[in-house]
Amino acid sequence: MTKKVKNRELSYKSVLTKVEDIDESGIVKFYASIFNSVDRVGDIVVPGAYRKTISENFKEIQHYKNHWSDEMPGVITELKENEIGLLVTSKLILNTQLGRETYEQNKAMSEVGKSMSHYRDWE
């Protein structure tokens, strides 16, 4: 998939994430990245890959839906690496349509143990 943004072409690759927990207040915990697993294009993310970014840029990291910067369903409250991957905690903005839709999608996927597919942009 490609999209033209500010006079440049971006290509997208899909990555799977797993919803670990979601509650009625809109707090969702999900893995944005799973370590040591091959993604759909053959890339592997190793433990420690996000450590520097989290420590130096946490305040700047946003929760975008499918990495689209004009779609922010929630606010990240915690990012941490563990033995599985990059665990994200986000407070969904439930008084917006996007926040409510994201809540319902994450809840439905979590209830049946399915992974969510997100897209990541690459130049």
Side-chain angles (χ1 to χ4, degrees):
M1 175 179 177
T2 61
K3 179 180 179 182
K4 188 132 180 148
V5 178
K6 296 182 184 175
N7 296 322
R8 36 179 216 168
E9 289 275 326
L10 298 176
S11 25
Y12 295 82
K13 74 175 188 177
S14 179
V15 292
L16 291 176
T17 60
K18 184 174 185 300
V19 176
E20 286 296 302
D21 189 30
I22 188 164
D23 69 22
E24 290 180 14
S25 70
I27 302 294
V28 61
K29 290 184 180 185
F30 61 93
Y31 281 97
S33 180
I34 305 296
F35 295 141
N36 300 313
S37 61
V38 180
D39 68 16
R40 292 182 180 173
V41 297
D43 291 338
I44 299 172
V45 177
V46 297
Y50 301 103
R51 192 172 299 127
K52 183 176 180 194
T53 299
I54 293 169
S55 69
E56 293 179 4
N57 300 302
F58 175 78
K59 290 181 181 183
E60 298 171 26
I61 299 171
Q62 306 297 314
H63 181 176
Y64 295 138
K65 189 161 188 177
N66 294 323
H67 291 263
W68 297 109
S69 61
D70 59 345
E71 294 187 1
M72 190 177 88
V75 178
I76 294 173
T77 59
E78 184 178 24
L79 285 172
K80 66 181 178 182
E81 286 191 14
N82 63 21
E83 65 282 351
I84 297 169
L86 177 63
L87 183 62
V88 178
T89 303
S90 182
K91 171 73 171 109
L92 296 175
I93 307 167
L94 297 179
N95 64 347
T96 66
Q97 181 176 342
L98 180 62
R100 285 188 308 277
E101 288 174 357
T102 302
Y103 170 80
E104 291 299 333
Q105 291 164 350
N106 280 259
K107 181 179 169 193
M109 295 298 275
S110 176
E111 286 172 352
V112 297
K114 291 204 172 213
S115 296
M116 304 278 292
S117 183
H118 294 276
Y119 289 92
R120 183 174 211 167
D121 57 337
W122 303 96
E123 283 191 66

